[in-house]
Amino acid sequence: MNTALSWIKAYVPELECTDQEYCDAMTLSGTKVEGFERLDKNLEKIVVGQIEQIEKHPDADKLIVCQVNVGERTVQIVTGAPNVKVGDKVPVVLDGGKVAGGHDGGPLPEEGIVIKAGKLRGVASEGMMCSIEELGSSRDMYPEAPESGIYIFGNEDGGESLQLGSDAVEALGLRDTVFEYEITSNRVDCYSVLGIAREAAATFRKPFVAPKIEIKENGERVEDYISVEVQDTELCPRYTARVCTNIKIGPSPKWMQRRLAASGIRPINNLVDITNYVMEEYGQPMHAYDLEQVAGHKIVVKRAKDGDEFETLDGQVRKLDHDILMICDAEKEIGLAGIMGGENSKITDNVKTVLLEAATFHGTNIRKSAKRVGLRTDASGKFEKGLDPHSAQEAINRACQLIQELGCGEVVGGMVDVYAPGKETVKIKFDAEAINGLLGTDISKEEMLAIFERIELKYDAQSGMLEIPSFRQDLQGQADIAEEVARFYGYDKIPVSLPTGEATTGKLPFKLRVEQKARDIAEYCGFSQGMCYSFESPKVFDKLLLPEDSPFRQAITIANPLGEDFSIMRTVSLNGMLTSLATNYNRRNKDVRLYELGNVYLPKALPLTELPDERMQFTLGMYGEGDFYTMKGVAEEFFDSIGMRKKVVYDPKAGKPFLHPGRQADIVYDGKVVGYLGEVHPEVCDNYDIGTKAYVAVLDMPEVEPFATFDRKYEGVARYPAVSRDISMVVPKAVLAGEIEAMIEQRGGKILESYQLFDIYEGAQIKEGFKSVAYSITFRAKDRTLEEKDVTTAMKKILNGLETMGIELRA
């Protein structure tokens, strides 16, 4: 967003400051100025002169010698310009003065060009008459300037009243500074000169003077000229239309051309310049149609049809679809809503009656539509921010006022206004104490209210509410109000203070502490962290051998995927882990251990009616050194570190198709399945091109966390001795070690301290269908020394229980 300081001063007439002061103050108050450039940079000693006499150069056919009156004296200037004549008023740079550049319009030198008196082909020349390029501008911004030659002041410049010897730079409107702003997308109001002027008025504590709109209408009624129908009020909440007759196309006045040029907009003609001027002034794009080209004198705002084509003003044919909003007449499309008008209704020099449009369109739709048709304009850039519907009426009335005042045409009485009001006026509770508490300041309530008055917020003392003007769409809550106080009170005035509030320990939330412990244990056990994509391919389910009716196949489909390989949200965390293991294996890494903490996404219903269940999975994968029991040990190390001290049970009936059927288990804690582990199925390994045994473990963190605790209770060193008993048993192969240990725990009683499996043997000395298993069992009492009968009784109960399982003591 660029604005000239002179345009800002038109609405803040008491503003007096240097360019740098303006830049610094506006930036500190929140309207960041990226930089500024003076239009009169390197222009020195340039005055208005009048040519009084012209003679041919005695020694050059293409040069002439001019006597130029510059006020107090007459200077002689030699020039080759072909367009000057006696009586012309021209800009003259005197001896020792500067111009910005050369007449060829090339890049401007940083320091300008110094003009010195001298001789041209033997004839003295005491200065130089200037072209518009030499003054640092161009014919784009000064269309009346000759293509090749000296700039001549015309009557539209006030040429007749210009004093000889006066400042020519001022007469050309170049004593000005253009500021470039970085406007954040939430400050839609500041994409306009009026919005910037409001900020400047509040920053410098000067009155803001808005344009006074008064329209002299003729006696006709707009309803006799045009009707409007809006079929989609969601995409077009407001559409206003006015009609102007007896249009006279011509150049716009110099003051308007200068303001537009300073903002980087090329002046064209009075009608186009007025719509561009109002767009810059109010931030409200407008469009003008030739009413004679509007069939049926009716406007219909509706969606396009899929496959339609439309030729825009730039002569390009655009392909349309049903999400693009169009401005139509009774027969055809005449404009891309909020983007560009159509070739079939453009304004020509022969126009007599103009239909003016000022509307509010759905910002997101305009942004997407502009992208789909490949056309982004100044208008679409403003509409996509989400404009204030109230500005449409003010802007169209302002345009009609300028049309009438500048003699461009007559304004028909009344306005067609199709308006679907949106949300009500925003009101925010004013609490000075809360604002001071948030900012760490001690600003009085009266000073805050004075700030609110400067930015046009109305305060109702009875209700204690602030009423927010419609153009400040960024103010929604108490924090926004506090920010307004801070930026206009002055960030530099806010004292340094420490945060206040209750003291905290500063530790991580419990969930994150558990996850951090998982990382610590994994890395302690030699695992490296990996990160895998949450987007996957549906082909993953076949690679993992999941049956067709598996609930894991019920995955969420991405609306706009990058491709089929990233088209669904993962429901199982193993694909990324196995892919990473395969990459390492095929790059000949011998021993690899990886872990990941990442979510899976389990939909509660398809199609989605609510957000899916996002479950954090602690996934471990490895190949090389280690086996099933290594992975089991890592899981148990993690459980122990987070205070899960009860016995973990492993259920071999896990039923995971992607794991080896005889080397897998569900991990059960306190009756709850908290994960699974096992050897990867050989076929799955082949699918992932892993040519060795691989092992994985997956822990479902939402199931683990309720059992976790970081509370620790100290127990002193045992005061009484322990008693150990070893037993060697012949056990049916179908009986698992876990079942034996469960019986030992059940029958061991209160004096049972621990047990340890220390031998398993299968061989010729053991009868077929059996195995030899040996345990060391330790007993201890906390309050006394155990007697032999205590240990004997406990062992007898254990042995009796084991006998019921078909287990015999080995001789």
Side-chain angles (χ1 to χ4, degrees):
M1 178 71 190
N2 294 349
T3 67
L5 186 58
S6 61
W7 202 347
I8 299 297
K9 287 183 176 180
Y11 312 121
V12 193
E14 297 182 18
L15 179 61
E16 294 294 337
C17 61
T18 66
D19 295 338
Q20 191 61 53
E21 287 171 347
Y22 180 87
C23 176
D24 294 342
M26 292 292 283
T27 299
L28 280 174
S29 68
T31 307
K32 184 181 179 184
V33 179
E34 285 286 313
F36 61 89
E37 181 178 5
R38 288 204 60 87
L39 298 181
D40 60 356
K41 180 182 178 183
N42 295 327
L43 301 181
E44 298 177 8
K45 297 180 69 173
I46 302 176
V47 299
V48 176
Q50 186 170 31
I51 301 174
E52 295 186 338
Q53 184 180 340
I54 299 178
E55 297 177 351
K56 293 190 66 175
H57 193 286
D59 293 325
D61 293 338
K62 294 185 179 181
L63 296 179
I64 57 176
V65 181
C66 302
Q67 303 300 320
V68 184
N69 186 345
V70 293
E72 296 180 353
R73 62 193 176 101
T74 298
V75 297
Q76 179 173 289
I77 297 176
V78 178
T79 181
N83 66 316
V84 295
K85 62 183 183 299
V86 173
D88 285 346
K89 288 185 177 180
V90 296
V92 178
V93 55
L94 301 177
D95 180 27
K98 272 187 179 183
V99 293
H103 67 278
D104 58 356
L108 301 180
E110 185 65 27
E111 300 300 327
I113 299 174
V114 178
I115 303 300
K116 294 182 178 180
K119 289 185 177 182
L120 286 176
R121 300 292 290 270
V123 176
S125 182
E126 300 175 73
M128 185 179 76
M129 293 180 285
C130 303
S131 68
I132 197 65
E133 288 79 14
E134 288 164 333
L135 295 172
S137 192
S138 68
R139 293 187 66 247
D140 283 342
M141 302 310 173
Y142 287 77
E144 74 279 7
E147 185 173 350
S148 177
I150 303 303
Y151 183 87
I152 299 172
F153 289 106
N155 291 334
E156 62 273 13
D157 294 305
E160 292 183 356
S161 60
L162 284 176
Q163 296 291 320
L164 299 182
S166 62
D167 188 349
V169 178
E170 178 72 31
L172 286 165
L174 292 173
R175 292 286 183 214
D176 205 350
T177 306
V178 176
F179 291 88
E180 180 184 357
Y181 306 88
E182 180 186 334
I183 307 297
T184 54
S185 58
N186 66 319
R187 289 304 304 273
V188 183
D189 57 305
C190 286
Y191 284 91
S192 67
V193 177
L194 285 177
I196 298 292
R198 283 191 178 96
E199 290 291 300
T203 298
F204 290 93
R205 300 174 184 251
K206 302 294 183 181
F208 169 73
V209 182
K212 188 176 181 180
I213 301 176
E214 293 179 350
I215 306 173
K216 295 180 181 179
E217 302 173 339
N218 63 20
E220 298 177 292
R221 288 165 43 87
V222 70
E223 290 81 3
D224 297 332
Y225 282 85
I226 193 69
S227 62
V228 176
E229 176 188 352
V230 178
Q231 295 185 2
D232 195 324
T233 55
E234 180 182 356
L235 297 186
C236 178
R238 189 169 199 179
Y239 190 99
T240 64
R242 296 201 69 154
V243 174
C244 297
T245 60
N246 298 324
I247 297 297
K248 301 178 182 63
I249 299 296
S252 56
K254 283 293 180 286
W255 64 266
M256 180 175 285
Q257 291 187 29
R258 301 297 179 258
R259 288 181 180 178
L260 291 174
S263 297
I265 299 175
R266 181 170 62 91
I268 298 175
N269 60 50
N270 50 3
L271 187 59
V272 175
D273 290 353
I274 285 170
T275 57
N276 285 336
Y277 183 87
V278 174
M279 179 175 73
E280 290 299 302
E281 186 177 44
Y282 281 84
Q284 170 67 54
M286 299 183 62
H287 193 71
Y289 298 97
D290 185 343
L291 188 59
E292 297 306 315
Q293 304 299 321
V294 179
H297 286 191
K298 181 178 182 179
I299 292 292
V300 181
V301 184
K302 62 181 181 180
R303 292 174 182 258
K305 296 179 181 177
D306 289 330
D308 282 356
E309 293 185 342
F310 179 69
E311 185 178 0
T312 47
L313 276 172
D314 58 359
Q316 299 293 315
V317 176
R318 313 285 176 177
K319 292 185 178 181
L320 310 177
D321 59 52
H322 71 281
D323 287 325
I324 296 176
L325 192 66
M326 301 297 295
I327 309 298
C328 310
D329 60 19
E331 298 175 357
K332 61 187 180 301
E333 296 96 346
I334 59 174
L336 278 169
I339 303 174
M340 184 178 280
E343 179 72 17
N344 56 11
S345 62
K346 69 179 181 180
I347 297 293
T348 65
D349 291 344
N350 299 320
V351 65
K352 297 300 180 185
T353 306
V354 164
L355 168 66
L356 287 177
E357 162 196 292
T360 304
F361 300 112
H362 191 277
T364 303
N365 177 262
I366 295 298
R367 177 177 58 80
K368 291 182 177 179
S369 298
K371 185 176 181 180
R372 283 200 294 274
V373 301
L375 177 62
R376 194 171 188 272
T377 61
D378 288 342
S380 69
K382 293 182 184 294
F383 276 122
E384 67 187 27
K385 305 293 189 301
L387 298 184
D388 171 22
H390 293 83
S391 68
Q393 180 178 355
E394 294 180 19
I396 200 169
N397 286 338
R398 173 67 164 160
C400 289
Q401 177 193 24
L402 292 172
I403 287 173
Q404 184 265 320
E405 287 182 351
L406 303 182
C408 183
E410 298 178 8
V411 181
V412 172
M415 175 179 68
V416 177
D417 187 5
V418 180
Y419 187 23
K423 58 185 180 182
E424 298 179 355
T425 302
V426 175
K427 293 184 178 181
I428 301 174
K429 184 73 174 177
F430 172 51
D431 187 340
E433 185 178 344
I435 291 174
N436 278 322
L438 184 62
L439 300 178
T441 55
D442 189 21
I443 306 171
S444 68
K445 179 179 179 180
E446 290 70 26
E447 189 170 357
M448 290 185 190
L449 290 175
I451 290 173
F452 297 147
E453 184 178 358
R454 278 155 48 198
I455 59 177
E456 301 181 41
L457 274 59
K458 297 179 181 178
Y459 176 62
D460 184 349
Q462 186 173 358
S463 64
M465 302 295 286
L466 289 167
E467 184 176 320
I468 310 302
S470 60
F471 60 81
R472 288 302 305 272
Q473 300 182 45
D474 59 307
L475 302 183
Q476 299 291 330
Q478 188 72 229
D480 300 320
I481 296 300
E483 182 184 8
E484 297 300 295
V485 172
R487 66 193 189 95
F488 287 115
Y489 174 74
Y491 290 115
D492 54 326
K493 296 179 183 177
I494 297 177
V496 176
S497 60
L498 292 173
T500 59
E502 296 181 3
T504 63
T505 59
K507 62 184 179 182
L508 291 172
F510 183 78
K511 175 178 179 293
L512 297 184
R513 291 177 68 195
V514 175
E515 292 175 10
Q516 185 58 52
K517 186 60 72 172
R519 293 186 185 92
D520 293 344
I521 293 300
E523 291 167 10
Y524 169 77
C525 294
F527 287 74
S528 299
Q529 185 171 12
M531 296 184 68
C532 304
Y533 290 115
S534 294
F535 297 169
E536 292 186 335
S537 167
K539 297 176 183 177
V540 166
F541 303 135
D542 294 332
K543 292 177 72 174
L544 292 175
L545 308 180
L546 291 173
E548 291 297 327
D549 59 349
S550 172
F552 293 119
R553 287 183 178 265
Q554 305 302 309
I556 301 165
T557 303
I558 308 299
N560 296 301
L562 297 174
E564 185 185 6
D565 289 344
F566 302 95
S567 61
I568 62 169
M569 302 294 288
R570 67 177 179 178
T571 57
V572 183
S573 63
L574 286 183
N575 175 65
M577 178 59 67
L578 294 176
T579 301
S580 297
L581 291 177
T583 300
N584 279 275
Y585 178 80
N586 288 290
R587 291 180 181 175
R588 294 179 172 82
N589 289 330
K590 292 183 179 180
D591 298 303
V592 174
R593 296 186 178 192
L594 300 174
Y595 79 93
E596 181 200 14
L597 279 164
N599 286 337
V600 294
Y601 304 86
L602 306 178
K604 298 172 185 176
L606 288 177
L608 286 179
T609 56
E610 55 182 316
L611 292 175
D613 185 12
E614 299 184 28
R615 303 186 70 83
M616 176 65 69
Q617 307 290 290
F618 178 27
T619 308
L620 299 149
M622 70 177 193
Y623 68 79
E625 184 179 350
D627 56 15
F628 178 94
Y629 297 102
T630 304
M631 188 66 80
K632 174 173 172 285
V634 176
E636 290 180 348
E637 185 80 21
F638 168 60
F639 293 145
D640 185 67
S641 70
I642 59 174
M644 295 172 63
R645 299 301 173 81
K646 293 183 181 179
K647 183 171 178 58
V648 179
V649 176
Y650 297 89
D651 183 359
K653 299 176 182 178
K656 299 292 186 293
F658 41 78
L659 298 180
H660 192 295
R663 299 168 190 168
Q664 61 171 284
D666 277 338
I667 304 173
V668 182
Y669 185 84
D670 201 19
K672 199 88 169 179
V673 177
V674 297
Y676 59 86
L677 80 164
E679 181 184 324
V680 180
H681 197 291
E683 188 175 339
V684 174
C685 283
D686 289 342
N687 291 340
Y688 282 91
D689 198 18
I690 301 174
T692 187
K693 291 181 179 181
Y695 301 90
V696 295
V698 178
L699 301 179
D700 189 20
M701 298 301 276
E703 295 289 355
V704 170
E705 284 160 15
F707 298 116
T709 178
F710 291 100
D711 295 336
R712 297 292 184 265
K713 184 179 180 181
Y714 171 75
E715 292 186 0
V717 177
R719 296 173 61 187
Y720 300 97
V723 178
S724 296
R725 294 286 188 270
D726 292 345
I727 55 172
S728 180
M729 302 167 284
V730 178
V731 181
K733 286 187 177 181
V735 177
L736 303 177
E739 294 174 320
I740 297 173
E741 292 170 1
M743 182 60 71
I744 294 173
E745 287 187 4
Q746 178 186 348
R747 297 296 184 98
K750 293 181 180 180
I751 63 172
L752 176 66
E753 182 177 74
S754 64
Y755 51 86
Q756 182 68 44
L757 173 67
F758 66 86
D759 183 57
I760 298 179
Y761 171 75
E762 295 181 34
Q765 299 179 17
I766 306 300
K767 56 184 178 180
E768 187 176 350
F770 286 79
K771 58 188 174 182
S772 173
V773 176
Y775 275 88
S776 176
I777 303 175
T778 302
F779 300 94
R780 190 195 306 265
K782 295 181 179 181
D783 56 350
R784 59 191 175 88
T785 299
L786 291 177
E787 297 180 1
E788 180 62 28
K789 63 177 182 179
D790 297 324
V791 177
T792 301
T793 301
M795 283 298 299
K796 186 174 182 180
K797 289 181 180 180
I798 291 172
L799 294 174
N800 288 340
L802 294 174
E803 286 179 4
T804 62
M805 301 169 64
I807 296 173
E808 303 172 2
L809 282 178
R810 187 176 177 187

